[in-house]
Amino acid sequence: MESIVLHEKLTYEIGESKDWEPHKGLLDSSDLMSKLTNEKWFIQLSSDIDKEESTTTSAVKWAVDQLSKVSLQALNEAVRYRAGTYAGTMREDGLNPFYLNYAEIAQSLDSETVSKFREGIQLLNANEIGHMGFMVLVRLGLMGESIVSPGLGNYYPHFSRQPVLVSLDREHKPLETYSMAQVADLREQLLKNTGSVVGPLSKALSPIFLATLNRAKKPMDIIENALSIRESKSAKKFRIEVDQIRKEAVENPEKKELYKARIASRVGDLNDFLFEKGVSETYFRSWRVKASMMPLGWIAGWRKTFRKFDYPGDTSVVFLSDILSQAIGIVSAQKKIEAVFGTPAFYDAHLIPCTTVNRF
């Protein structure tokens, strides 16, 4: 839901090979896909990211090197969180087709890499993570090699995979992430000030997801609310401003730091932030009509008040305050999710908390 609101375009991968068929079936039958398929900003990648042999080989090498460095707890959670989805993609022998392709490449490399690969797989099996842990690492490497490194876009992984990147020192906070983190911290502060108990689930969820829950009565309402927020004037201006700052930062990296500093300073002023509608200034215009033109000289004028945005971040603050005002209405995320989905909600407290989205 956060990606729907924060990014001008979303790209997803569903490949054409037979290995993708189980994934394609699961995605095609989802409510999310049925709702977004016709949106022009929701774009399918034109080809599989592992189609290019050299790119895939590079990603496999990277993944092999990470097997001895990655947090096994983080990798275990990344695999376990999607265990239900992965179960539907296994062959009869219990192996994933993607893993078999990547394992074959790893086995064809130099002897040192082959030795590392075999030791790494043994380590994964010994810790009950299994071969899917290696598959997850390769996919992360592929995203970096095929999309991020060439400058084609950013990769915002599912939150269950974010701790993996953090453990590998691949953490980087985009402006969108920094902005949401400020809102999340302020929301927690406000609820604590009122004596409310902020549970671990509320801390882990994005303020935007909480905002989409606010008026939801059934699961599809969450998607509808996200699409509605996306089309709001403040959200559109937020995306435009962040995109502009990102472009300007190529020549002047200080632009990003100015944005972050401005957001942090505005968040610090609670009243202004909560009721932000733009920084207003009033200008007085007047003119004088000479006595020679009229029997009696007179002065006329008018006042005009308008929004004035002087610093990077001032436009975005309007959107962030909108999100906060909606997200703060959800005190107990667990109770609200149970009401919307009609089933008990369980939050695994052992899942490594990592509420910031990371990219390569």
Side-chain angles (χ1 to χ4, degrees):
M1 298 306 104
E2 185 175 82
S3 294
I4 288 175
V5 174
L6 294 183
H7 305 295
E8 199 60 38
K9 293 182 180 179
L10 296 184
T11 305
Y12 66 97
E13 181 194 16
I14 289 292
E16 300 300 327
S17 66
K18 288 185 177 181
D19 294 343
W20 275 102
E21 289 180 0
H23 296 272
K24 190 175 188 300
L26 290 169
L27 189 58
D28 285 346
S29 62
S30 68
D31 290 337
L32 179 63
M33 199 65 178
S34 65
K35 193 68 183 175
L36 299 183
T37 299
N38 295 324
E39 297 288 350
K40 293 182 179 179
W41 47 265
F42 193 60
I43 306 166
Q44 181 177 351
L45 283 176
S46 57
S47 63
D48 299 4
I49 62 173
D50 59 2
K51 189 174 182 178
E52 180 64 42
E53 183 178 350
S54 61
T55 300
T56 305
T57 300
S58 179
V60 168
K61 284 183 178 179
W62 178 82
V64 171
D65 287 338
Q66 309 316 308
L67 285 170
S68 61
K69 305 173 184 177
V70 69
S71 162
L72 295 179
Q73 182 186 359
L75 193 57
N76 181 49
E77 296 296 349
V79 172
R80 190 159 63 91
Y81 192 90
R82 287 184 167 178
T85 300
Y86 292 148
T89 67
M90 302 298 184
R91 302 190 325 174
E92 292 181 0
D93 59 4
L95 296 175
N96 179 277
F98 288 103
Y99 164 76
L100 292 173
N101 293 338
Y102 304 148
E104 183 178 353
I105 293 174
Q107 298 273 24
S108 69
L109 301 174
D110 59 273
S111 58
E112 183 181 355
T113 301
V114 171
S115 178
K116 285 183 179 180
F117 169 71
R118 291 174 179 173
E119 291 175 2
I121 294 300
Q122 289 178 353
L123 183 64
L124 295 182
N125 290 333
N127 285 274
E128 300 183 349
I129 299 172
H131 67 282
M132 292 302 289
F134 182 68
M135 194 278 288
V136 168
L137 287 175
V138 176
R139 299 300 295 180
L140 289 174
L142 279 168
M143 290 294 181
E145 293 284 342
S146 62
I147 296 177
V148 182
S149 293
L152 300 178
N154 295 322
Y155 172 51
Y156 299 87
H158 186 273
F159 78 84
S160 64
R161 293 186 177 186
Q162 293 164 23
V164 174
L165 293 180
V166 173
S167 76
L168 297 175
D169 294 325
R170 300 297 291 269
E171 180 180 13
H172 178 82
K173 292 184 180 180
L175 296 179
E176 296 92 341
T177 300
Y178 177 83
S179 303
M180 285 302 106
Q182 301 303 306
V183 176
D185 290 344
L186 184 54
R187 175 183 175 276
E188 182 178 351
Q189 172 194 327
L190 289 172
L191 289 176
K192 284 183 177 180
N193 289 345
T194 62
S196 301
V197 177
V198 183
L201 181 57
S202 293
K203 292 181 182 180
L205 292 174
S206 162
I208 288 182
F209 182 73
L210 294 173
T212 63
L213 276 175
N214 197 18
R215 295 184 301 275
K217 294 183 178 179
K218 57 183 184 298
M220 278 301 293
D221 290 344
I222 296 174
I223 301 175
E224 295 280 1
N225 290 341
L227 292 172
S228 177
I229 295 173
R230 174 187 172 83
E231 295 304 316
S232 67
K233 181 183 292 187
S234 64
K236 289 179 179 179
K237 289 186 175 182
F238 170 82
R239 294 195 297 269
I240 290 172
E241 180 176 46
V242 169
D243 186 58
Q244 183 63 33
I245 291 172
R246 195 161 22 235
K247 291 176 180 177
E248 293 175 357
V250 174
E251 298 290 335
N252 181 12
E254 191 180 76
K255 283 285 186 179
K256 286 186 178 181
E257 300 310 313
L258 287 173
Y259 172 90
K260 292 179 180 179
R262 185 61 171 171
I263 293 296
S265 67
R266 298 301 304 281
V267 168
D269 192 333
L270 185 58
N271 289 329
D272 282 354
F273 186 79
L274 274 175
F275 303 102
E276 179 61 48
K277 293 302 174 187
V279 183
S280 298
E281 286 192 7
T282 300
Y283 283 77
F284 182 71
R285 308 288 188 187
S286 65
W287 66 89
R288 180 182 297 273
V289 180
K290 295 181 179 179
S292 60
M293 297 173 62
M294 296 186 68
L296 297 175
W298 54 277
I299 296 177
W302 73 93
R303 292 182 182 272
K304 183 180 182 181
T305 301
F306 57 93
R307 290 184 181 181
K308 182 176 176 59
F309 300 106
D310 280 342
Y311 301 98
D314 280 349
T315 299
S316 295
V317 163
V318 179
F319 166 69
L320 299 181
S321 66
D322 287 345
I323 294 299
L324 176 62
S325 63
Q326 296 178 66
I328 204 169
I330 303 296
V331 178
S332 173
Q334 182 169 341
K335 290 181 179 179
K336 183 62 177 181
I337 289 173
E338 289 177 349
V340 171
F341 286 88
T343 184
F346 298 99
Y347 178 68
D348 189 347
H350 296 291
L351 183 66
I352 299 174
C354 182
T355 58
T356 59
V357 181
N358 306 292
R359 70 174 185 183
F360 284 86

